């Protein structure tokens, strides 16, 4: 068993920061009103939040001022997973809560938006509320009723936020894809849920170029017979196609929104899994569940409030966009950036943070590591004095990423809180991550989140401390899916999370919970490297190998072979000018042997032109493993979910040549 007790933290919040944190104020209030522990800091609060689950969520709803238009009968009528029933009897509306700040700060910016060429432009709370009101009235006039699906094929722009909120206001069910998704990928998602309205941009700008999407939109219109209306968003200045409504026409009036009061478990939106091995799972989350979970995450864990500016680099095809929009729930100004993460140069996201005065900066671990390799100096070259926290997700932030961020900001005198967070589309939230009152240790997520009974289990269902195990959640969370779309008997839902440990959510990640309560993510458990009984996550290999300046990106696969052997190749995408010679091969092997484990030195190191990813940026580990096992491409992966399907032919051919 490993101990984490003696390592010094990279960062420690000072007494003033701890005292000012909203989570500190919540704990004191919950101690007075709901019996939470007044002492013991975050560990005591977390323990109470999972041991007294119903009391915690009631306290959070009270403290956050959640407006139940009809009262709830109980907090948790049925705790069984799947199928937990939260706040039965209650009715509310997510959009009503997202627009509450319009009552107190009507002229303050709700949204700041910019693209690759523009300066930030503000939309006030009053303007946003009136646009949502006008659009909600138009949706009702088009016949949209509670439960109807409304879809968006839009980039990360204010129109997308307005459309989501107007959909929620009328009780509709929102779903979106980014316009860089091809028509086939979008149809794989939207055809499942049969939307009645489509909001569609004529194109988008990315990497200094305009990308016309009118042909893709025309294909969506042809292939979605459920559509009653199409609303044209002319980002490239084109006229609305025949039969489509124009955005500006239907949102021009100043209308007070009418908020449909819906049951707590009424569907809010549909998100999609990456869909690498078949049709993407259409994941349905509820208005009330998302409202409470995001209030918890954004107010308590991210420490966001009305004077903050919240930026996370994302697209409408990723759950982080939905999470970003929920910043409105805390009265925070949300920053929307529509453009490439690295244009005109690698430091582009830091420039966005500077120009918008972001206080909370969210990005991917991959972007942080790309900046480190490119020699970017964010705090030296940009005024980031307002940035209190840099948060990362998408993959584990390697230890070198922690050190680099800390050192870059420390050199400018900043006291930077670094929050590596991990969760999933499946819950549209984090299982573990940011806690403003706890220290940060290199390579570790600070703690499990409140109300999240996060555990690491061995194959027999025994909890582990200090050892690698399966990430499980042993009690329900309000934002867990209420169902999958087109899964009438719930079998696909059960198979996805509850097959290994019935009644307990198994997420599919390897984690270690340390003896101080911090969390280390090792990568997906379904692509785990298990050599001679020693398990290791792929993320550990990437972290070590990609420190080498010659390696741009890598992909490691562990392949169980029929005769009982185990083949572990490492595929490497080299930096420009690098050569995979014997010297580099030896350095790669030595790095893995010394930093990880002699057992996990790859059998072969193979150069590839690029690493294949899903459309949301995840490495295609499991589909590549299936291809190498001889599974045909059509069965191993859904081509519409891959950023460059042409990269996969290499693995098919490699599987054939190895069999000879």
């Amino acid at each position: 068993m490993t101990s984490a007790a003696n390592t010094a933290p990279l960062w420690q919040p000072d007494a003033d920061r701890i005292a000012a944190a909203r989570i500190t104020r919540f704990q004191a209030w919950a101690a007075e009103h709901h019996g939470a522990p007044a002492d013991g800091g975050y560990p005591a609060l977390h323990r109470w939040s999972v041991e007294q689950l119903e009391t915690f969520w009631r306290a959070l709803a009270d403290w956050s001022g959640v407006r139940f238009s009809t009262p709830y009968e109980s907090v948790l009528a049925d705790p069984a997973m799947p199928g937990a029933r939260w706040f039965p009897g209650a009715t509310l509306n997510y959009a009503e809560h997202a627009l509450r700040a319009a009552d107190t700060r009507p002229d303050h910016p709700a949204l700041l938006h910019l693209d690759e060429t523009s300066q930030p432009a503000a939309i006030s709370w009053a303007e946003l509320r009136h646009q949502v009101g006008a659009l909600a009235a138009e949706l009702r006039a088009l016949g949209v009723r509670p439960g109807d699906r409304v879809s968006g094929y839009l980039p990360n722009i204010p129109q997308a936020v307005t459309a989501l909120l107007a959909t929620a206001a009328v009780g509709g069910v929102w779903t979106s894809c980014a316009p860089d998704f091809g028509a086939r990928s979008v149809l794989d998602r939207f055809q499942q849920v049969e939307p009645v309205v489509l909001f569609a941009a004529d194109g988008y700008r990315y990497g200094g170029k305009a990308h016309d999407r009118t042909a893709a939109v025309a294909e969506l219109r042809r292939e979605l017979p459920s559509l009653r209306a199409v609303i044209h968003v002319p980002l490239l200045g084109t006229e609305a196609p025949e039969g489509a409504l124009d955005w500006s026409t239907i949102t021009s009036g100043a209308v007070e929104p009418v908020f449909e009061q819906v049951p707590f478990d009424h569907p809010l939106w549909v998100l999609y899994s990456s869909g690498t091995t078949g049709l993407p799972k259409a994941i349905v989350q509820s208005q009330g569940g998302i409202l409470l979970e995001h209030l918890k995450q954004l107010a308590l864990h991210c420490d966001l409030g009305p004077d903050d500016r919240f930026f996370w680099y994302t697209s409408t095809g990723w759950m982080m966009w939905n999470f970003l929009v929920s910043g409105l729930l805390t009265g925070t100004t949300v920053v929307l950036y529509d453009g490439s993460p690295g244009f005109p140069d690698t430091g582009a996201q830091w420039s966005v943070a500077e120009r918008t005065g972001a206080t909370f900066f969210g990005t991917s671990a991959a972007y942080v590591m790309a900046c480190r390799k490119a020699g970017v100096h964010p705090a030296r070259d940009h005024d980031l004095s307002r940035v209190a926290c840099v948060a990362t997700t998408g993959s584990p932030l390697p230890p070198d990423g922690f050190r680099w961020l800390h050192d870059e900001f420390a050199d400018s005198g900043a006291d930077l809180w670094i929050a590596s967070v991990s969760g999933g589309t499946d819950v549209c939230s984090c299982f573990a991550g940011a806690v403003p009152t706890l220290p940060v240790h290199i390579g570790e997520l600070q703690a499990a989140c409140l109300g999240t009974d996060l555990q690491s289990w061995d194959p027999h269902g025994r909890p582990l401390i200090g050892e690698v195990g399966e990430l499980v959640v042993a009690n329900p969370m309000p934002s867990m899916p209420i169902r999958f779309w087109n899964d009438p008997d719930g079998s696909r839902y059960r198979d996805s999370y509850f097959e290994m440990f019935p009644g307990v959510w198994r997420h599919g990640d390897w984690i270690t919970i340390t003896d101080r309560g911090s969390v280390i993510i090792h990568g997906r458990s379904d692509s785990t490297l298990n050599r001679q009984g020693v398990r290791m996550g792929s993320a550990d290999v990437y972290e070590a190998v990609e420190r080498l300046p010659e390696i741009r990106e890598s992909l490691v696969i562990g392949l169980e072979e029929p005769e009982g052997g185990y083949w572990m190749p490492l595929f490497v995408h080299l930096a420009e000018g690098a050569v995979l010679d014997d010297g580099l091969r030896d350095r790669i092997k030595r790095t893995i042997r010394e930093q990880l484990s002699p057992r996990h030195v790859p059998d072969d190191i193979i150069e590839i032109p690029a690493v294949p990813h899903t459309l949301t940026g995840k490495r295609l580990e499991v589909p590549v493993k299936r291809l190498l096992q001889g599974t045909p491409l059509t069965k191993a992966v859904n081509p519409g979910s891959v950023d460059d399907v042409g990269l996969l032919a290499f693995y098919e051919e490699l599987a054939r040549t190895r069999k000879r």
Side-chain angles (χ1 to χ4, degrees):
M1 182 163 128
T2 60
S3 173
N6 298 319
T7 55
L10 178 71
W11 175 84
Q12 179 88 44
D14 60 28
D16 290 345
R17 194 162 190 160
I18 292 171
R22 287 170 180 81
I23 202 167
T24 302
R25 301 204 297 272
F26 170 75
Q27 184 165 1
W29 179 89
E32 182 181 350
H33 296 276
H34 291 277
D39 302 314
Y42 184 81
L45 181 65
H46 179 266
R47 191 162 51 250
W48 171 76
S49 77
V50 295
E51 291 176 355
Q52 304 294 327
L53 196 65
E54 294 185 51
T55 307
F56 165 71
W57 287 108
R58 180 185 292 114
L60 182 84
D62 289 351
W63 188 77
S64 305
V66 171
R67 179 179 174 266
F68 296 103
S69 51
T70 55
Y72 53 88
E73 298 155 10
S74 61
V75 173
L76 186 56
D78 181 358
M81 293 188 288
R85 290 179 55 236
W86 291 94
F87 292 89
T91 57
L92 44 64
N93 189 279
Y94 169 91
E96 182 177 1
H97 291 80
L99 292 168
R100 283 192 295 188
D103 295 332
T104 54
R105 309 181 92 190
D107 299 324
H108 197 74
L111 304 174
L112 285 175
H113 64 100
L114 67 165
D115 61 21
E116 292 174 349
T117 59
S118 68
Q119 289 302 309
I123 294 177
S124 72
W125 283 102
E127 289 173 308
L128 180 60
R129 184 179 175 94
H130 288 148
Q131 284 189 8
V132 169
L135 187 53
E138 183 67 28
L139 290 176
R140 286 190 173 98
L142 291 169
V144 177
R145 298 292 177 261
D148 285 346
R149 278 75 63 208
V150 174
S151 56
Y153 187 51
L154 299 166
N156 183 13
I157 54 176
Q159 292 93 324
V161 176
T162 303
L164 184 159
L165 294 177
T167 300
V170 304
V173 185
W174 174 256
T175 190
S176 63
C177 285
D180 56 340
F181 284 29
R184 184 67 261 160
S185 296
V186 179
L187 290 169
D188 283 348
R189 291 156 172 78
F190 288 176
Q191 281 178 334
Q192 294 189 63
V193 301
E194 300 176 300
V196 299
V197 175
L198 171 67
F199 291 89
D202 55 356
Y204 63 100
R205 293 181 175 86
Y206 187 94
K209 298 176 182 175
H211 300 265
D212 185 287
R213 304 306 283 162
T214 52
V217 173
E219 186 175 348
L220 297 184
R221 294 181 69 180
R222 284 195 305 272
E223 299 296 328
L224 291 170
S226 56
L227 290 177
R228 297 182 212 147
V230 175
I231 296 166
H232 176 70
V233 181
L235 292 188
L236 302 185
T238 64
E239 294 292 321
E242 185 177 351
L245 300 167
D246 187 75
W247 172 271
S248 58
T249 305
I250 63 173
T251 56
S252 56
V255 179
E256 277 299 307
V258 176
F259 300 106
E260 191 79 21
Q261 299 302 306
V262 296
F264 188 92
D265 61 0
H266 185 82
L268 172 62
W269 55 46
V270 177
L271 302 176
Y272 302 96
S273 67
S274 54
T276 52
T277 55
L279 278 181
K281 298 189 289 271
I283 299 165
V284 188
Q285 288 152 349
S286 70
Q287 288 229 12
I290 288 294
L291 173 64
L292 282 187
E293 178 64 30
H294 285 185
L295 281 168
K296 177 199 80 178
Q297 282 292 343
L298 293 158
L300 301 184
H301 287 283
C302 298
D303 202 26
L304 290 174
D307 295 325
D308 284 297
R309 294 190 170 185
F310 180 34
F311 168 55
W312 205 299
Y313 181 81
T314 183
S315 82
T316 58
W318 188 25
M319 59 141 285
M320 290 309 301
W321 182 78
N322 303 65
F323 189 83
L324 174 66
V325 173
S326 282
L328 299 172
L329 296 172
T330 57
T332 300
T333 299
V334 168
V335 176
L336 308 174
Y337 175 61
D338 172 29
S340 164
F343 181 86
D345 54 53
T346 309
Q349 292 185 39
W350 304 108
S351 173
V352 172
E354 177 182 33
R355 286 183 285 155
T356 58
T359 60
F360 191 105
F361 176 99
T363 188
S364 66
Y367 179 72
V368 170
M369 300 311 288
C371 288
R372 175 181 172 272
K373 279 199 170 182
V376 172
H377 297 288
R380 184 193 76 184
D381 297 339
H382 301 279
D383 178 4
L384 302 177
S385 55
R386 294 199 67 204
V387 175
C389 179
V390 172
T392 67
T393 192
S395 60
L397 180 65
D400 283 354
F402 280 83
R403 293 188 190 94
W404 179 80
L405 278 172
H406 177 268
D407 292 349
E408 286 291 331
F409 278 78
D411 286 348
S412 68
D415 180 32
L416 183 70
W417 168 30
I418 300 166
S420 178
V421 307
S422 183
T425 301
D426 323 73
V427 293
C428 197
S429 189
C430 309
F431 297 124
V435 183
T437 57
L438 287 181
V440 172
H441 290 84
I442 289 174
E444 300 174 11
L445 286 64
Q446 288 173 282
C449 296
L450 294 174
T452 305
D453 193 358
L454 183 73
Q455 299 182 29
S456 172
W457 279 14
D458 73 8
H460 305 289
R462 293 187 290 248
L464 301 168
I465 297 294
E467 297 180 48
V468 178
E470 288 276 357
L471 187 165
V472 304
V473 183
N475 274 298
M477 296 166 58
S479 66
M480 285 175 175
I482 47 175
R483 64 179 186 275
F484 289 170
W485 210 269
N486 292 333
D487 182 28
D489 63 355
S491 57
R492 201 174 180 208
Y493 186 12
R494 285 192 301 276
D495 291 348
S496 295
Y497 312 113
F498 302 102
E499 186 177 23
M500 180 176 285
F501 303 115
V504 172
W505 178 289
R506 175 247 182 187
H507 193 63
D509 281 339
W510 287 123
I511 65 167
T512 298
I513 297 178
T514 73
D515 51 13
R516 59 165 161 257
S518 59
V519 179
I520 302 168
I521 307 288
H522 301 282
R524 294 293 295 170
S525 57
D526 48 11
S527 56
T528 299
L529 309 171
N530 188 350
R531 211 166 201 189
Q532 300 169 333
V534 178
R535 298 178 303 195
M536 182 172 292
S538 55
D540 299 307
V541 174
Y542 302 145
E543 187 271 315
V545 168
E546 291 170 18
R547 286 182 180 182
L548 297 171
E550 297 92 342
I551 309 300
R552 183 176 296 177
E553 197 176 17
S554 57
L555 182 72
V556 65
I557 304 295
L559 204 66
E560 301 84 0
E561 299 195 293
E563 73 283 2
Y566 192 83
W567 182 51
M568 199 180 98
L570 175 71
F571 301 96
V572 292
H573 178 199
L574 299 181
E576 190 173 348
V579 177
L580 185 59
D581 55 16
D582 289 344
L584 180 54
R585 282 191 170 91
D586 288 345
R587 282 201 303 284
I588 292 170
K589 290 178 179 179
R590 188 167 64 250
T591 296
I592 293 173
R593 183 181 295 110
E594 293 174 356
Q595 297 183 18
L596 295 177
S597 148
R599 300 189 196 194
H600 291 87
V601 172
D603 298 303
D604 292 290
I605 301 172
I606 302 167
E607 184 178 354
I608 52 173
V611 171
H613 299 88
T614 68
L615 291 174
T616 51
K618 291 185 169 62
R619 299 178 225 224
L620 281 181
E621 294 172 331
V622 174
V624 166
K625 180 174 179 175
R626 290 175 178 167
L627 288 171
L628 293 174
Q629 288 169 324
T631 305
L633 179 61
T634 52
K635 293 185 177 179
V637 65
N638 173 5
S641 71
V642 183
D643 59 354
D644 184 352
V645 75
L647 294 172
L648 299 178
F650 170 84
Y651 304 98
E652 267 197 313
E653 180 60 25
L654 181 58
R656 279 194 292 270
T657 56
R658 284 195 75 238
K659 285 181 180 176
R660 291 175 193 158

